[in-house]
């Protein structure tokens, strides 16, 4: 089996039962909640699979969100319209199966989320993530995500910054 992955929308064909990233809430979410959230249009779940394999190697969720201006650094707020909130996309969860750790799959999933946010029809100012712990926070910081003013484990990356990163 090759090392390349395809990232696609979660469907009934995907085997979620064997997924294990070592964080029980993330494992349980994929097994029991992701499809329900998609049906209810709360969030979409995108999965990484290898060719000719239906086992989920990694996943992330993507949903509409908003950012209160009061959560952003003052220098950034001064350059934005004076709205109470601005539009964003939220990566609610991102996880890689332990068997695929160390293959840069987490980075590929994050880049896929950024690409989807950059190409979204509705305007999106930033991609938002909530890190589960300091290790995950370090992962997002390496990509240039900035912390919110009052939530140290929540981060945002302006789409304009993402566009510059991917050129």
């Amino acid at each position: 089996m090759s090392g390349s992955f395809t990232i696609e929308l979660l469907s009934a064909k995907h085997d979620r039962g064997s997924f294990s990233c070592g964080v029980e809430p993330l494992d349980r979410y994929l097994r029991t909640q992701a499809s329900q959230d998609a049906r209810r249009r709360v969030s979409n779940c995108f999965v990484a699979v290898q060719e000719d394999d239906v086992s989920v190697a990694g996943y992330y969720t993507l949903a509409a969100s908003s950012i209160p201006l009061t959560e952003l650094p003052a220098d950034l707020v001064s350059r934005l319209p004076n709205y109470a909130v601005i539009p964003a996309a939220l990566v609610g969860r991102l996880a890689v199966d332990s068997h695929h750790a160390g293959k840069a799959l987490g980075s590929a999933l994050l880049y896929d989320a950024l690409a989807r946010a950059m190409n979204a029809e509705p305007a999106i100012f930033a991609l938002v993530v909530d890190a589960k712990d300091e290790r995950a926070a370090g992962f997002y910081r390496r990509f240039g995500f900035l912390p919110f003013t009052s939530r140290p484990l929540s981060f945002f990356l302006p789409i304009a910054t993402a566009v510059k990163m991917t050129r």
Side-chain angles (χ1 to χ4, degrees), residues 23 26 130-141 152-153 155:
V23 179
L26 293 172
D130 293 316
K132 298 294 181 203
D133 53 30
E134 192 53 45
R135 181 173 173 243
F139 172 78
Y140 293 118
R141 282 188 204 104
L153 289 179
F155 299 88

Side-chain angles (χ1 to χ4, degrees), residues 82-100:
N82 191 21
Y83 300 143
V85 296
I86 53 174
L90 171 68
V91 174
R93 292 166 179 82
L94 188 150
V96 173
D97 185 278
S98 299
H99 292 100
H100 298 283

Side-chain angles (χ1 to χ4, degrees), residues 8 10 25 33 43 47 71 73 79 112 159:
E8 56 195 37
L10 176 68
Q33 191 69 37
S43 69
V47 296
E71 290 289 315
R79 294 180 271 145
D112 190 77
I159 294 298

Side-chain angles (χ1 to χ4, degrees), residues 6-9 46-47 60 62 91 94 105-119 127:
T6 300
I7 300 173
E8 56 195 37
L9 198 57
F46 297 90
V47 296
Y60 72 89
L62 192 61
V91 174
L94 188 150
L105 187 53
S107 299
L109 290 165
L110 185 58
Y111 274 114
D112 190 77
L114 283 168
R116 290 178 196 276
M118 286 188 289
N119 295 318
L127 190 65

Side-chain angles (χ1 to χ4, degrees), residues 47-94:
V47 296
V49 294
Q50 290 182 305
E51 187 178 337
D52 298 326
D53 190 356
V54 294
S55 298
V56 174
Y59 77 94
Y60 72 89
T61 61
L62 192 61
S65 188
S66 62
I67 303 171
L69 280 184
T70 57
E71 290 289 315
L72 297 174
D75 64 319
L76 185 57
V77 171
S78 67
R79 294 180 271 145
L80 294 172
N82 191 21
Y83 300 143
V85 296
I86 53 174
L90 171 68
V91 174
R93 292 166 179 82
L94 188 150

